[in-house]
Amino acid sequence: YPLSLHDALTIYKQMKVFKFGGASIKDARGVRNVASMLAKNDGEILVVVSAMGKTTDLLETLVRSYFNGWDETSAIFGQFRAFHLSLAGELFGSDEKIPAGIPEMIGELEKRLQVPLSLLYDFEYDQLICYGELVSSLILSCYLEETGLSNRWIDIRPSLRTDDKFREASVNWKWTEMLVSNNFQFNSHRMIVTQGFIGSTVTNLSTTLGREGSDYTAAILASMLSAESVTIWKDVPGVLNADPKLFPDTVLLKELSYREAIEMTYSGAQVIHPKTMKPLYNKSIPLMVRSFVNPESPGTVIHQPDHPLELIPVFITRENQVLITFSPYDFSFISSGDISTVFAMMSAKGLKVNLIQKTAIDLNLLVDAPELGLETMVLDMRKEYEVKYNTGLTLITIRHYTAESVEKLTSGRKIYIEQYSRLTAKLAVV
Ligand code: ASP
Ligand code: MG
């Protein structure tokens, strides 16, 4: 079919995906900074945003209050509204100049709070929590328009189809791919602004992809639309070899393979969501992690390098670990059958296993502490095995470890369990 001139001209120029997290748009100054960064980039850009600042945490308190029928509900909602309206008032010059769609969107959340409760917490959670992203993306879109950056705001939910596992939904890839390629057209705009983290079921119930899931959304869209690259704009210079909040001397990793990035983020590095890499790897789309504070500096590129990379030690800590030790009651050895029974228990209880180690009659598992109900779970496990457990451990992962780096991180700490593979040391410590 005939191409428009615009389409013909852009056909060889692939679009870019930019993802802005909550920290980059936590106040009016942040939104202005994002707008000025977007103004400096030419070509088509698909902008994916999170909720502003700590809005998702605030909405989590709203969900808890609403679900329990507490009196605080309207006060918490009031905080949500006041935060966004005052930020928008500052951006647009006065309250009167705020585009009507913004208070209307906030009003939708207020109306949703009048809906009688179901008994399904996770379902209710997703119906409310999505307003963080809906409102933030709308404010950004209207502000870009106001500053002369013509853009199309898209509610991603009818395109990003998921199953109905609320709070941790899985993307229906085939459906979503078809819907995204139909719906995410730039038309005559240079930019699209949409939400990370949220989606919907086939019956249009809102869902979310898990906390911090906006990076993953950016990767999904980039993969489906064959973007040239994805850039995640952060408040750190790029991917560092350790969390700067915990370590004084961190080093910027200029280049990483997808594999290295998956290992780091899966072990607990907070810089990117661990699910982000796979869709990009499959299409060889590079992922840039850069600073919105210093947009000129190159940051980190995650891709498939064609040369060997220098591998310095990388430190990742994961708090709140529980070490659970299983032993058969009758003093028999741990068999493959026992391992499979224990793992079936872990998956039934939704416990994430981070480390496994076995001796003759002990099977040790290090798991993320569940939010609730550890004691009950252990009681249940004791029906089949003798169970001992310790809480409050930290899992230290060192990629490309050296004797010196292990010593530095563990000195003065009690090591409960340690494991060394070719590239990785893992130590559970207190
Ligand atoms: N706003 C959501 C959260 O804070 C998603 C995200 O930031 O990626 O978890
Ligand atoms: Mg966030």
Side-chain angles (χ1 to χ4, degrees), residues 19-22 49-57 60 125 129 132-133 196-197 210-216 273:
K19 185 261 173 174
F20 293 99
V49 290
S50 307
M52 295 173 149
K54 301 262 174 254
T55 298
T56 306
D57 293 338
E60 284 192 342
Y125 178 102
I129 222 91
E133 270 68 15
F197 178 53
R211 286 301 307 263
E212 305 306 326
S214 298
D215 298 345
Y216 181 40
H273 193 286

mmCIF file of all heavy atoms in Angstrom, residues 19-22 49-57 60 125 129 132-133 196-197 210-216 273, ligand 1:
data_model
loop_
_atom_site.group_PDB
_atom_site.id
_atom_site.type_symbol
_atom_site.label_atom_id
_atom_site.label_comp_id
_atom_site.label_asym_id
_atom_site.label_seq_id
_atom_site.Cartn_x
_atom_site.Cartn_y
_atom_site.Cartn_z
ATOM 1 N N LYS A 19 13.383 5.433 28.440
ATOM 2 C CA LYS A 19 12.594 5.147 29.644
ATOM 3 C C LYS A 19 13.023 6.089 30.763
ATOM 4 O O LYS A 19 14.211 6.217 31.049
ATOM 5 C CB LYS A 19 12.773 3.683 30.054
ATOM 6 C CG LYS A 19 11.896 3.289 31.227
ATOM 7 C CD LYS A 19 12.669 3.308 32.509
ATOM 8 C CE LYS A 19 11.805 3.100 33.718
ATOM 9 N NZ LYS A 19 12.623 2.986 34.943
ATOM 10 N N PHE A 20 12.055 6.771 31.346
ATOM 11 C CA PHE A 20 12.325 7.656 32.473
ATOM 12 C C PHE A 20 11.671 7.103 33.728
ATOM 13 O O PHE A 20 10.455 6.905 33.760
ATOM 14 C CB PHE A 20 11.801 9.068 32.191
ATOM 15 C CG PHE A 20 12.543 9.766 31.086
ATOM 16 C CD1 PHE A 20 12.029 9.800 29.795
ATOM 17 C CD2 PHE A 20 13.778 10.353 31.331
ATOM 18 C CE1 PHE A 20 12.718 10.417 28.768
ATOM 19 C CE2 PHE A 20 14.482 10.980 30.307
ATOM 20 C CZ PHE A 20 13.951 11.011 29.021
ATOM 21 N N GLY A 21 12.461 6.858 34.750
ATOM 22 C CA GLY A 21 11.946 6.321 36.007
ATOM 23 C C GLY A 21 11.430 7.427 36.911
ATOM 24 O O GLY A 21 11.548 8.630 36.606
ATOM 25 N N GLY A 22 10.849 7.016 38.028
ATOM 26 C CA GLY A 22 10.235 7.941 38.969
ATOM 27 C C GLY A 22 11.167 9.058 39.436
ATOM 28 O O GLY A 22 10.750 10.208 39.572
ATOM 29 N N VAL A 49 7.285 5.974 30.718
ATOM 30 C CA VAL A 49 7.530 6.561 32.036
ATOM 31 C C VAL A 49 6.926 5.747 33.174
ATOM 32 O O VAL A 49 5.937 5.046 33.019
ATOM 33 C CB VAL A 49 7.004 8.015 32.183
ATOM 34 C CG1 VAL A 49 7.827 8.969 31.368
ATOM 35 C CG2 VAL A 49 5.545 8.125 31.858
ATOM 36 N N SER A 50 7.566 5.909 34.336
ATOM 37 C CA SER A 50 7.055 5.358 35.597
ATOM 38 C C SER A 50 6.223 6.421 36.294
ATOM 39 O O SER A 50 6.137 7.557 35.837
ATOM 40 C CB SER A 50 8.198 5.006 36.539
ATOM 41 O OG SER A 50 9.125 4.189 35.930
ATOM 42 N N ALA A 51 5.708 6.053 37.452
ATOM 43 C CA ALA A 51 5.023 7.012 38.305
ATOM 44 C C ALA A 51 6.053 8.001 38.867
ATOM 45 O O ALA A 51 7.238 7.704 38.955
ATOM 46 C CB ALA A 51 4.325 6.272 39.434
ATOM 47 N N MET A 52 5.580 9.206 39.237
ATOM 48 C CA MET A 52 6.500 10.254 39.673
ATOM 49 C C MET A 52 7.037 10.009 41.077
ATOM 50 O O MET A 52 6.253 9.753 42.005
ATOM 51 C CB MET A 52 5.778 11.598 39.632
ATOM 52 C CG MET A 52 5.404 11.976 38.203
ATOM 53 S SD MET A 52 4.389 13.448 38.134
ATOM 54 C CE MET A 52 4.939 14.100 36.534
ATOM 55 N N GLY A 53 8.336 10.128 41.257
ATOM 56 C CA GLY A 53 8.943 10.010 42.582
ATOM 57 C C GLY A 53 8.526 8.725 43.265
ATOM 58 O O GLY A 53 8.614 7.641 42.694
ATOM 59 N N LYS A 54 8.042 8.867 44.499
ATOM 60 C CA LYS A 54 7.657 7.692 45.290
ATOM 61 C C LYS A 54 6.156 7.408 45.230
ATOM 62 O O LYS A 54 5.572 6.828 46.145
ATOM 63 C CB LYS A 54 8.068 7.894 46.756
ATOM 64 C CG LYS A 54 9.542 8.122 46.964
ATOM 65 C CD LYS A 54 10.224 6.821 47.382
ATOM 66 C CE LYS A 54 11.732 6.945 47.465
ATOM 67 N NZ LYS A 54 12.454 6.308 46.376
ATOM 68 N N THR A 55 5.523 7.830 44.132
ATOM 69 C CA THR A 55 4.070 7.693 44.026
ATOM 70 C C THR A 55 3.583 6.252 44.189
ATOM 71 O O THR A 55 2.543 6.011 44.799
ATOM 72 C CB THR A 55 3.600 8.260 42.671
ATOM 73 O OG1 THR A 55 3.939 9.632 42.640
ATOM 74 C CG2 THR A 55 2.103 8.098 42.491
ATOM 75 N N THR A 56 4.313 5.285 43.627
ATOM 76 C CA THR A 56 3.831 3.901 43.725
ATOM 77 C C THR A 56 3.798 3.441 45.184
ATOM 78 O O THR A 56 2.878 2.741 45.595
ATOM 79 C CB THR A 56 4.675 2.970 42.840
ATOM 80 O OG1 THR A 56 4.682 3.501 41.513
ATOM 81 C CG2 THR A 56 4.113 1.559 42.802
ATOM 82 N N ASP A 57 4.794 3.870 45.969
ATOM 83 C CA ASP A 57 4.768 3.543 47.409
ATOM 84 C C ASP A 57 3.540 4.169 48.069
ATOM 85 O O ASP A 57 2.868 3.541 48.886
ATOM 86 C CB ASP A 57 6.031 4.059 48.116
ATOM 87 C CG ASP A 57 7.291 3.325 47.641
ATOM 88 O OD1 ASP A 57 7.155 2.199 47.119
ATOM 89 O OD2 ASP A 57 8.389 3.884 47.793
ATOM 90 N N GLU A 60 0.556 2.275 47.243
ATOM 91 C CA GLU A 60 0.471 1.015 47.989
ATOM 92 C C GLU A 60 -0.182 1.246 49.355
ATOM 93 O O GLU A 60 -0.958 0.421 49.820
ATOM 94 C CB GLU A 60 1.866 0.377 48.153
ATOM 95 C CG GLU A 60 2.356 -0.289 46.867
ATOM 96 C CD GLU A 60 3.588 -1.176 47.055
ATOM 97 O OE1 GLU A 60 4.286 -1.036 48.087
ATOM 98 O OE2 GLU A 60 3.850 -2.012 46.160
ATOM 99 N N TYR A 125 -5.316 -4.049 44.033
ATOM 100 C CA TYR A 125 -4.024 -3.368 43.967
ATOM 101 C C TYR A 125 -3.794 -2.842 42.543
ATOM 102 O O TYR A 125 -3.537 -1.664 42.338
ATOM 103 C CB TYR A 125 -2.947 -4.377 44.379
ATOM 104 C CG TYR A 125 -1.527 -3.892 44.341
ATOM 105 C CD1 TYR A 125 -0.854 -3.531 45.511
ATOM 106 C CD2 TYR A 125 -0.810 -3.842 43.140
ATOM 107 C CE1 TYR A 125 0.470 -3.121 45.481
ATOM 108 C CE2 TYR A 125 0.506 -3.426 43.099
ATOM 109 C CZ TYR A 125 1.141 -3.070 44.274
ATOM 110 O OH TYR A 125 2.451 -2.662 44.233
ATOM 111 N N ILE A 129 -3.238 0.994 41.464
ATOM 112 C CA ILE A 129 -1.821 1.363 41.355
ATOM 113 C C ILE A 129 -1.477 1.922 39.974
ATOM 114 O O ILE A 129 -0.585 2.747 39.818
ATOM 115 C CB ILE A 129 -0.941 0.125 41.705
ATOM 116 C CG1 ILE A 129 0.245 0.529 42.585
ATOM 117 C CG2 ILE A 129 -0.412 -0.589 40.483
ATOM 118 C CD1 ILE A 129 0.000 0.466 44.024
ATOM 119 N N GLY A 132 -0.742 5.807 39.034
ATOM 120 C CA GLY A 132 0.558 6.479 39.159
ATOM 121 C C GLY A 132 1.155 6.735 37.784
ATOM 122 O O GLY A 132 1.540 7.861 37.437
ATOM 123 N N GLU A 133 1.196 5.700 36.956
ATOM 124 C CA GLU A 133 1.773 5.804 35.610
ATOM 125 C C GLU A 133 0.847 6.578 34.661
ATOM 126 O O GLU A 133 1.314 7.341 33.822
ATOM 127 C CB GLU A 133 2.037 4.406 35.043
ATOM 128 C CG GLU A 133 3.416 3.829 35.355
ATOM 129 C CD GLU A 133 3.653 3.484 36.820
ATOM 130 O OE1 GLU A 133 2.676 3.419 37.597
ATOM 131 O OE2 GLU A 133 4.823 3.298 37.202
ATOM 132 N N GLY A 196 5.055 2.674 31.594
ATOM 133 C CA GLY A 196 5.681 1.396 31.901
ATOM 134 C C GLY A 196 4.832 0.660 32.919
ATOM 135 O O GLY A 196 3.824 1.208 33.415
ATOM 136 N N PHE A 197 5.175 -0.613 33.180
ATOM 137 C CA PHE A 197 4.690 -1.325 34.362
ATOM 138 C C PHE A 197 3.261 -1.846 34.299
ATOM 139 O O PHE A 197 2.916 -2.819 34.947
ATOM 140 C CB PHE A 197 4.874 -0.382 35.569
ATOM 141 C CG PHE A 197 4.426 -0.816 36.921
ATOM 142 C CD1 PHE A 197 4.850 -2.023 37.469
ATOM 143 C CD2 PHE A 197 3.604 0.007 37.695
ATOM 144 C CE1 PHE A 197 4.462 -2.397 38.762
ATOM 145 C CE2 PHE A 197 3.212 -0.358 38.978
ATOM 146 C CZ PHE A 197 3.639 -1.558 39.505
ATOM 147 N N GLY A 210 4.892 -6.298 38.073
ATOM 148 C CA GLY A 210 5.819 -6.459 39.189
ATOM 149 C C GLY A 210 6.556 -5.150 39.429
ATOM 150 O O GLY A 210 6.859 -4.429 38.470
ATOM 151 N N ARG A 211 6.855 -4.829 40.686
ATOM 152 C CA ARG A 211 7.501 -3.562 41.036
ATOM 153 C C ARG A 211 8.742 -3.338 40.185
ATOM 154 O O ARG A 211 9.463 -4.278 39.856
ATOM 155 C CB ARG A 211 7.878 -3.526 42.531
ATOM 156 C CG ARG A 211 6.727 -3.325 43.508
ATOM 157 C CD ARG A 211 5.937 -2.037 43.318
ATOM 158 N NE ARG A 211 6.688 -0.802 43.291
ATOM 159 C CZ ARG A 211 6.855 0.001 44.338
ATOM 160 N NH1 ARG A 211 6.370 -0.309 45.518
ATOM 161 N NH2 ARG A 211 7.513 1.136 44.211
ATOM 162 N N GLU A 212 8.938 -2.098 39.843
ATOM 163 C CA GLU A 212 10.070 -1.665 39.004
ATOM 164 C C GLU A 212 9.987 -2.222 37.587
ATOM 165 O O GLU A 212 10.989 -2.331 36.891
ATOM 166 C CB GLU A 212 11.417 -2.044 39.643
ATOM 167 C CG GLU A 212 11.618 -1.539 41.068
ATOM 168 C CD GLU A 212 11.418 -0.043 41.219
ATOM 169 O OE1 GLU A 212 11.749 0.707 40.283
ATOM 170 O OE2 GLU A 212 10.901 0.372 42.279
ATOM 171 N N GLY A 213 8.774 -2.574 37.161
ATOM 172 C CA GLY A 213 8.626 -3.243 35.872
ATOM 173 C C GLY A 213 8.677 -2.350 34.632
ATOM 174 O O GLY A 213 8.567 -2.847 33.514
ATOM 175 N N SER A 214 8.849 -1.051 34.805
ATOM 176 C CA SER A 214 8.823 -0.164 33.631
ATOM 177 C C SER A 214 9.964 -0.419 32.653
ATOM 178 O O SER A 214 9.803 -0.244 31.442
ATOM 179 C CB SER A 214 8.908 1.299 34.060
ATOM 180 O OG SER A 214 7.810 1.634 34.834
ATOM 181 N N ASP A 215 11.115 -0.813 33.174
ATOM 182 C CA ASP A 215 12.245 -1.120 32.283
ATOM 183 C C ASP A 215 11.851 -2.246 31.334
ATOM 184 O O ASP A 215 12.168 -2.233 30.143
ATOM 185 C CB ASP A 215 13.460 -1.624 33.079
ATOM 186 C CG ASP A 215 13.997 -0.606 34.050
ATOM 187 O OD1 ASP A 215 13.640 0.567 33.933
ATOM 188 O OD2 ASP A 215 14.792 -1.013 34.929
ATOM 189 N N TYR A 216 11.166 -3.222 31.901
ATOM 190 C CA TYR A 216 10.739 -4.381 31.116
ATOM 191 C C TYR A 216 9.781 -3.944 30.008
ATOM 192 O O TYR A 216 9.900 -4.373 28.857
ATOM 193 C CB TYR A 216 10.099 -5.388 32.075
ATOM 194 C CG TYR A 216 9.618 -6.677 31.455
ATOM 195 C CD1 TYR A 216 10.344 -7.329 30.468
ATOM 196 C CD2 TYR A 216 8.431 -7.264 31.883
ATOM 197 C CE1 TYR A 216 9.896 -8.525 29.916
ATOM 198 C CE2 TYR A 216 7.979 -8.462 31.346
ATOM 199 C CZ TYR A 216 8.708 -9.083 30.349
ATOM 200 O OH TYR A 216 8.255 -10.257 29.820
ATOM 201 N N HIS A 273 15.656 -3.715 35.804
ATOM 202 C CA HIS A 273 14.838 -4.884 36.105
ATOM 203 C C HIS A 273 15.416 -6.102 35.371
ATOM 204 O O HIS A 273 15.720 -6.021 34.179
ATOM 205 C CB HIS A 273 13.401 -4.618 35.647
ATOM 206 C CG HIS A 273 12.425 -5.612 36.189
ATOM 207 N ND1 HIS A 273 12.359 -6.900 35.697
ATOM 208 C CD2 HIS A 273 11.517 -5.540 37.174
ATOM 209 C CE1 HIS A 273 11.428 -7.569 36.367
ATOM 210 N NE2 HIS A 273 10.906 -6.759 37.272
HETATM 211 N N1 ASP B 1 6.222 2.774 39.378
HETATM 212 C C1 ASP B 1 6.489 1.360 39.485
HETATM 213 C C2 ASP B 1 7.298 1.076 40.730
HETATM 214 O O1 ASP B 1 7.743 1.998 41.378
HETATM 215 C C3 ASP B 1 7.154 0.794 38.270
HETATM 216 C C4 ASP B 1 8.547 1.312 38.018
HETATM 217 O O2 ASP B 1 8.997 2.270 38.620
HETATM 218 O O3 ASP B 1 9.226 0.730 37.181
HETATM 219 O O4 ASP B 1 7.484 -0.069 41.052
#
